């Protein structure tokens, strides 16, 4: 039902993701006629010699930006092809933390019921076709354009052209996406309403230059725009833009006054009639708020400030036209003629008036672009913080360069693709122009989005969930600015309302939100990160410590960043935008994989580790921490210290143990955190050898973080008899392949009278240690 493009998952394997709809599912000798959508990931091992071949359907090598290498697709799996697939199927699992993204709901909205994975050799073609012929031809046109893009542009540019022109992101690197997000220019990396608007304007303007009838030009523009939206197939944003365009041009054909606010309202109403739930989507809110800001605030202000002077540049030689403009504009025209009189002796009569006129047009245009860009950044600050926890600081300067270049790139790229079907040589000039614009966009984004200061990007700020006061203030400032902009005779009020809007945006970006925590107690929360560990410790004095950050092992071939998408999202939802300490118990992917994103987002002051000489995946994280100016300290048995109002005692690894040479679980950091008469014991992935060492220290704790996700190799009877916990928590993934937690571990905990909680069943679980007792709190119960 959805085709994919293959790309490298590892140096010797490739991955392709497709969507299929089942006709029948068979398991263990039984079969059922089931209609369900499956998002299927296909893997295949490849030899080095295969890396230079092209995927089926592509005429030229395709690679990630800058690599030029091309994987081999397992199959040319076209829309409508019937298949028999031997696959592992499992339901999509949400990470059940407050404020978490509803991944399962997102898949449901896209017709996907379950996820699956299969080896390429386990896919067999069947005869026949199933699906829509219209959709089949749409996918063929889409694939043909992708092929043509990679034929016309080099691999380093083709991946970006795919995204900007066609909405195909299969060949983009995550680093590229991050740079565009940081610089506030991600909207150009995906096909949006802006892309369609630029293309539509270019078509309409070109047709009018050839004296095409206005009605025919408008009709042609609308038809081509809807065809473009259909081929791109990226969803509601482009269709909303096409609907707004049709409404606007339709009003023009009916000789009605074109009011952009009415066109926006009509398009929004049409979208909500079709899908009322779109109102709560980030895409809908950002699209329409952006246009409301331009049409409701920016345009009315410009109409009373720069627009009269821009119109005053017309017919400068005709003094009689001065009678038809405002006195200030007439004086402006007279001043330009006086300047032209001085220039006449240097540049001649013909250029004397053109030079100052061109200069003023450019100055007015740049001024308007700066104003609108800044206004957009301030007006969208709330939604950017609420949905994406970002406050871009380089959005305005970046867009000043990127938007004009995009206005060059879109029509040039469209012309290049169209001419490319006629003659490659004929398309070369348009390819060169669009490539030049693309290099300008990429250079600007890399310069502004990749700039680092103390190991962190200065292009954007990551912010916590805005407080209720921030939300109400932002809504009020937007409403006031729109109201003041519409009142013609109150320039002071309009100026003051815009200043207020910028002040609220600065409040959202630079003033930390209030963290949601209980004063005077120590909180330990196990964040649901699936099959991994991530534990938040909030100290009685307000300090924040994160122990591990989850992660996905490499063998799972996943680009999903638990640190960014899960751990950071939970912390921001709690109002936390800064961590004091992060700790990595041991160098396993399910504990440290998300830590790079956490360090980049929350700028901790310290990093605790248990390894003397970091190697493997731990080494770059330590290097990142050092670049960020963090204090990196190795903790071992015997270390005791007070921090944030609690007392910490390290129980493992051994003081004389040379870490980094043994099994990582044997190097695991194990410690207790004590506040008053209440103690929590955190075991990480400790196993029997480590637990024997811990038992020798005779620790007691009311709360136990169970070792190694409930593996049978830990949580011994001796440990439980020594520690005497009242509560235990197991951080474990639902339906994990390891069979965690093991039945014998659960039985030992039950026999010891320990009340046990599990993240795979309860989601994020908080425990509050007040110095006298421990109080559990399950987030899902609320």
């Amino acid at each position: 039902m959805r085709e994919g493009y293959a790309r490298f998952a590892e140096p010797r394997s490739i991955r392709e993701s497709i969507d299929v709809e089942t006709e029948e599912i068979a398991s263990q000798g039984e079969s059922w006629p089931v209609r369900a959508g499956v998002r299927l990931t296909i893997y295949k091992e490849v030899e080095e010699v295969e890396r230079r071949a092209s995927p089926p359907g592509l005429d030229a090598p395709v690679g990630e930006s800058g690599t030029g290498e091309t994987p081999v697709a397992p199959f040319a799996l076209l829309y409508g092809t019937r298949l028999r697939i031997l696959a592992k199927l499992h339901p999509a699992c949400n990470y059940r933390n407050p404020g978490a993204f509803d991944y399962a709901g997102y898949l449901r909205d896209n017709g996907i019921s379950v996820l699956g994975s299969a080896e390429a050799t386990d896919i067999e073609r069947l005869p026949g076709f199933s699906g829509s012929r219209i959709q089949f031809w749409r996918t063929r046109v889409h694939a043909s354009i992708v092929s043509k893009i990679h034929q016309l542009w080099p691999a380093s540019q083709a991946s970006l052209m795919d995204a900007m022109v066609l909405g195909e992101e299969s060949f983009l690197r995550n680093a590229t996406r991050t740079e565009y997000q940081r610089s506030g220019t991600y909207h150009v990396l995906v096909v949006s309403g802006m892309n369609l608007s630029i293309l539509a304007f270019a078509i309409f303007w070109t047709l009018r230059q050839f004296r095409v009838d206005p009605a025919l030009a408008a009709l042609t523009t609308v038809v081509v725009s809807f065809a473009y939206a259909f081929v791109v197939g990226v969803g509601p944003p482009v269709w909303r833009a096409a609907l707004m365009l049709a409404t606007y041009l339709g009003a023009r054909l009916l000789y009605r006054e074109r009011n952009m606010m009415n066109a926006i309202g009509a398009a929004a109403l049409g979208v909500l009639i079709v899908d009322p739930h779109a109102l709560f989507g980030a895409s809908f809110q950002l699209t329409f708020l952006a246009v409301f800001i331009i049409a409701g605030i920016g345009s009315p202000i410009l109409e009373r400030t720069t627009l009269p002077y821009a119109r005053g540049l017309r017919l400068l030689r005709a003094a009689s036209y001065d009678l038809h403009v405002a006195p200030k504009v007439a004086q402006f025209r007279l001043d330009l003629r006086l300047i032209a009189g001085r220039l006449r002796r240097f540049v001649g009569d013909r250029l004397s008036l053109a030079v100052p006129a061109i200069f003023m047009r450019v100055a007015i245009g740049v001024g308007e672009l700066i104003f609108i860009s800044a206004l957009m950044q301030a007006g969208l600050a709330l939604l950017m913080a609420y949905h994406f926890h970002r406050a871009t600081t380089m959005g305005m300067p970046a867009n000043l360069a990127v938007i004009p270049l995009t206005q060059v790139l879109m029509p040039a790229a469209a012309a290049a693709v169209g001419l490319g079907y006629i003659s490659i040589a004929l398309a070369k000039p348009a390819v060169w122009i669009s490539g030049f614009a693309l290099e300008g966009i990429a250079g600007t984004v890399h310069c502004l989005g990749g700039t680092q200061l103390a190991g962190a990007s200065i292009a954007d700020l990551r912010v916590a969930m805005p407080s209720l006061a921030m939300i109400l203030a932002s809504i009020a400032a937007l409403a006031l600015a729109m109201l003041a902009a519409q009142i013609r005779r109150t320039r002071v009020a309009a100026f003051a309302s815009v200043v207020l809007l910028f002040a609220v945006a600065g409040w959202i970006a630079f003033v930390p939100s209030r963290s949601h925590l209980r004063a005077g107690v120590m909180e330990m929360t196990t964040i649901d990160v699936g099959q991994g560990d991530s534990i938040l410790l909030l100290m009685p004095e307000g300090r924040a410590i994160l122990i591990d950050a989850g992660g996905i092992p490499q063998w799972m071939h996943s680009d999903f960043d638990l640190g960014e998408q899960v751990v950071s999202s939970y912390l921001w939802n709690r109002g936390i935008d800064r961590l004091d300490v992060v700790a990595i118990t041991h160098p396993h992917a399910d504990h440290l994989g998300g830590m790079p994103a956490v360090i980049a987002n929350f700028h901790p002051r310290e990093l605790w580790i248990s390894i003397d000489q970091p190697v493997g995946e731990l080494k770059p994280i330590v290097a990142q921490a050092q670049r960020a100016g963090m204090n990196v300290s190795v903790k071992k048995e015997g270390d005791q210290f007070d921090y944030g109002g609690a007392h910490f005692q390290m129980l493992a690894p051994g003081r004389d143990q040379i870490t980094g040479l043994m099994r990582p679980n044997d190097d695991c950091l194990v410690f207790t955190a004590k506040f008053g008469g209440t103690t929590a014991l955190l075991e990480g992935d400790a196993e029997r050898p480590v637990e024997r060492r811990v038992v020798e220290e005779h620790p007691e704790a009311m709360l136990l973080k169970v070792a190694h996700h409930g593996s049978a190799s830990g949580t011994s009877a001796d440990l439980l008899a020594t520690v005497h916990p009242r509560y235990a928590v197991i951080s474990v993934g639902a339906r994990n392949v390891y069979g965690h937690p093991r039945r014998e571990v659960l039985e030992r905990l039950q026999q010891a009278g320990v009340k046990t909680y599990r993240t795979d069943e309860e989601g994020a679980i908080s425990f509050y240690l007040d110095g006298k007792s421990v109080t559990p709190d399950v987030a899902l119960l609320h």
Side-chain angles (χ1 to χ4, degrees):
M1 305 302 292
R2 180 186 62 86
E3 297 178 12
Y5 295 93
R7 61 192 182 96
F8 283 106
E10 290 181 348
R12 295 183 61 82
S13 69
I14 59 173
R15 180 181 64 188
E16 180 178 1
S17 175
I18 64 172
D19 288 350
V20 300
E21 184 181 67
T22 64
E23 296 177 359
E24 181 180 87
I25 294 180
S27 178
Q28 298 178 349
E30 296 186 48
S31 62
W32 306 267
V34 176
R35 287 281 182 177
V38 180
R39 181 149 294 175
L40 188 70
T41 302
I42 306 168
Y43 300 97
K44 181 182 179 182
E45 297 297 320
V46 295
E47 298 297 330
E48 192 67 25
V49 294
E50 291 183 286
R51 296 165 70 93
R52 299 186 180 275
S54 297
L58 295 183
D59 300 326
V62 180
E64 300 235 353
S65 179
T67 65
E69 293 182 323
T70 303
V72 178
F75 290 99
L77 299 175
L78 305 182
Y79 174 90
T81 304
R82 297 181 66 248
L83 307 165
R84 180 182 286 114
I85 305 167
L86 180 62
K88 297 178 180 178
L89 302 181
H90 59 89
C93 181
N94 284 339
Y95 294 93
R96 294 180 294 178
N97 304 306
F101 174 62
D102 184 9
Y103 181 53
Y106 163 78
L107 291 176
R108 274 197 310 273
D109 292 341
N110 287 273
I112 303 301
S113 303
V114 294
L115 303 175
S117 60
E119 293 284 345
T121 54
D122 292 330
I123 298 178
E124 174 190 354
R125 294 175 182 273
L126 299 177
F129 173 86
S130 180
S132 165
R133 286 291 176 181
I134 295 178
Q135 185 70 4
F136 172 79
W137 286 111
R138 187 202 74 81
T139 59
R140 299 282 46 78
V141 172
H142 187 278
S144 176
I145 296 176
V146 171
S147 173
K148 186 59 63 177
I149 287 174
H150 287 274
Q151 187 179 7
L152 293 172
W153 285 274
S156 58
Q157 295 182 343
S159 60
L160 289 172
M161 282 292 182
D162 282 337
M164 294 181 183
V165 177
L166 207 57
E168 180 57 61
E169 299 185 32
S170 296
F171 308 110
L172 283 179
R173 296 180 298 170
N174 285 333
T176 301
R177 291 187 178 92
T178 300
E179 279 192 350
Y180 279 78
Q181 289 169 346
R182 286 173 174 170
S183 63
T185 58
Y186 189 71
H187 56 92
V188 305
L189 198 60
V190 295
V191 172
S192 63
M194 183 186 73
N195 303 64
L196 185 140
S197 301
I198 292 171
L199 192 60
F201 175 81
I203 294 170
F204 186 79
W205 182 86
T206 301
L207 292 174
R208 292 297 295 138
Q209 298 309 302
F210 285 95
R211 307 296 182 183
V212 175
D213 181 77
L216 181 59
L219 181 62
T220 303
T221 301
V222 170
V223 171
V224 173
S225 298
F226 272 86
Y228 175 70
F230 177 71
V231 171
V232 169
V234 294
V238 177
W239 286 110
R240 287 196 293 263
L243 184 59
M244 290 170 61
L245 175 71
T247 304
Y248 189 74
L249 290 178
R252 188 178 189 276
L253 291 179
L254 295 174
Y255 302 99
R256 306 294 297 176
E257 180 181 354
R258 279 91 66 193
N259 186 301
M260 182 57 73
M261 296 293 283
N262 291 342
I264 298 168
L269 185 61
V271 170
L272 291 177
I273 290 174
V274 175
D275 181 15
H277 294 288
L279 179 63
F280 305 100
S283 174
F284 179 92
Q285 294 173 9
L286 285 168
T287 298
F288 284 100
L289 181 59
V291 186
F292 268 116
I293 290 170
I294 294 174
I297 303 175
S299 292
I301 291 177
L302 293 180
E303 284 176 4
R304 302 202 302 272
T305 52
T306 61
L307 187 59
Y309 293 95
R311 291 172 176 168
L313 292 172
R314 302 171 182 171
L315 304 173
L316 273 176
R317 296 184 183 276
S320 60
Y321 188 68
D322 296 355
L323 301 175
H324 301 280
V325 297
K328 289 184 178 181
V329 179
Q331 181 63 51
F332 169 69
R333 290 167 58 85
L334 179 60
D335 291 340
L336 290 180
R337 291 195 198 101
L338 292 174
I339 295 172
R342 298 294 182 91
L343 289 175
R344 189 173 293 116
R345 69 181 67 178
F346 303 105
V347 298
D349 184 65
R350 178 171 295 182
L351 293 178
S352 62
L353 200 57
V355 170
I358 292 172
F359 176 81
M360 290 308 303
R361 283 192 178 93
V362 172
I364 291 173
V366 171
E368 290 177 345
L369 186 57
I370 292 174
F371 173 71
I372 292 296
S373 296
L375 188 65
M376 289 277 288
Q377 188 166 326
L380 295 177
L382 174 63
L383 289 183
M384 291 298 294
Y386 185 87
H387 290 293
F388 307 109
H389 304 289
R390 290 186 181 274
T392 55
T393 59
M394 294 294 177
M396 185 181 73
N399 282 289
L400 288 178
V402 166
I403 291 178
L405 288 171
T406 305
Q407 293 172 341
V408 175
L409 181 144
M410 280 300 299
V417 171
L419 293 172
Y421 282 100
I422 301 173
S423 167
I424 298 297
L426 197 61
K428 286 298 182 183
V431 170
W432 184 87
I433 293 172
S434 58
F436 177 80
L438 181 65
E439 290 299 324
I441 293 172
T444 300
V445 169
H446 181 70
C447 179
L448 297 178
T451 304
Q452 300 284 318
L453 181 64
S457 171
I458 63 172
D460 72 336
L461 302 173
R462 306 309 302 267
V463 296
M465 182 66 68
S467 64
L468 179 60
M470 289 178 176
I471 294 173
L472 295 177
S474 182
I475 294 173
L478 277 169
L480 184 62
M482 287 187 182
L483 180 63
Q486 302 298 322
I487 302 176
R488 297 275 176 183
R489 298 182 180 180
T490 56
R491 291 189 178 182
V492 175
F495 176 78
S497 66
V498 171
V499 171
L500 177 63
L501 185 62
F502 277 93
V504 173
W507 180 21
I508 294 172
F510 300 109
V511 178
S513 297
R514 186 175 180 180
S515 303
H516 304 159
L517 52 85
R518 297 185 186 181
V521 301
M522 182 174 71
E523 175 189 336
M524 188 186 98
T525 295
T526 51
I527 304 171
D528 179 14
V529 291
Q531 186 67 14
D533 269 12
S534 187
I535 298 174
L536 175 66
L537 288 178
L538 295 176
M539 299 293 99
E541 295 178 359
R543 299 288 182 91
I545 302 174
L546 185 74
I547 315 298
D548 294 327
I552 298 176
Q554 288 186 352
W555 61 265
M556 294 185 69
H557 311 288
S558 175
D559 292 331
F560 191 77
D561 189 340
L562 275 164
E564 172 73 23
Q565 305 294 339
V566 178
V567 178
S568 293
S569 294
Y570 172 77
L571 296 176
W572 284 319
N573 188 73
R574 290 286 305 269
I576 297 171
D577 52 19
R578 185 69 183 253
L579 291 171
D580 296 284
V581 177
V582 290
I584 297 175
T585 57
H586 63 293
H588 268 164
D590 60 332
H591 291 251
L592 57 73
M595 195 58 77
V598 169
I599 292 175
N601 292 336
F602 296 92
H603 314 295
R605 297 180 177 88
E606 297 183 49
L607 170 63
W608 299 349
I609 59 176
S610 63
I611 306 298
D612 297 295
Q613 296 295 328
V615 295
E617 295 177 78
L618 180 60
K619 188 174 182 179
I621 296 176
V622 172
Q624 177 191 6
Q626 292 171 338
R627 288 194 304 271
M630 296 169 57
N631 177 35
V632 181
S633 60
V634 179
K635 304 295 184 183
K636 289 194 175 183
E637 177 189 16
D639 291 339
Q640 297 190 45
F641 53 90
D642 293 328
Y643 189 86
H647 181 75
F648 287 81
Q649 180 179 357
M650 302 296 149
L651 303 175
R655 172 63 57 182
D656 300 328
Q657 181 177 328
I658 301 176
T659 53
L661 302 176
M662 306 171 65
R663 296 171 62 249
N665 287 353
D666 292 337
D667 295 335
C668 190
L669 185 65
V670 179
F671 62 92
T672 59
K674 182 177 182 180
F675 174 57
T678 52
T679 303
L681 171 61
L682 290 84
E683 285 200 279
D685 275 5
E687 296 183 345
R688 286 192 181 90
V690 178
E691 284 195 346
R692 283 195 291 266
R693 183 187 295 273
V694 171
V695 168
E696 292 175 359
E697 298 293 330
H698 300 288
E700 291 192 8
M702 289 185 178
L703 175 61
L704 171 68
K705 186 271 165 186
V706 173
H708 203 183
H709 322 295
S711 166
S713 61
T715 319
S716 64
D718 289 343
L719 179 81
L720 295 176
T722 302
V723 174
H724 301 298
R726 297 182 185 176
Y727 300 98
V729 60
I730 305 174
S731 183
V732 63
R735 298 178 298 276
N736 64 85
V737 298
Y738 308 101
H740 294 163
R742 304 295 293 186
R743 179 180 300 177
E744 54 266 41
V745 172
L746 296 176
E747 290 175 351
R748 284 199 292 266
L749 289 166
Q750 184 179 20
Q751 291 170 0
V754 182
K755 174 65 174 177
T756 304
Y757 296 85
R758 298 165 47 169
T759 58
D760 62 334
E761 294 181 349
E762 283 94 7
I765 307 157
S766 297
F767 298 88
Y768 298 95
L769 291 74
D770 61 8
K772 298 180 181 178
S773 62
V774 176
T775 304
D777 184 25
V778 179
L780 290 183
L781 296 180
H782 305 296

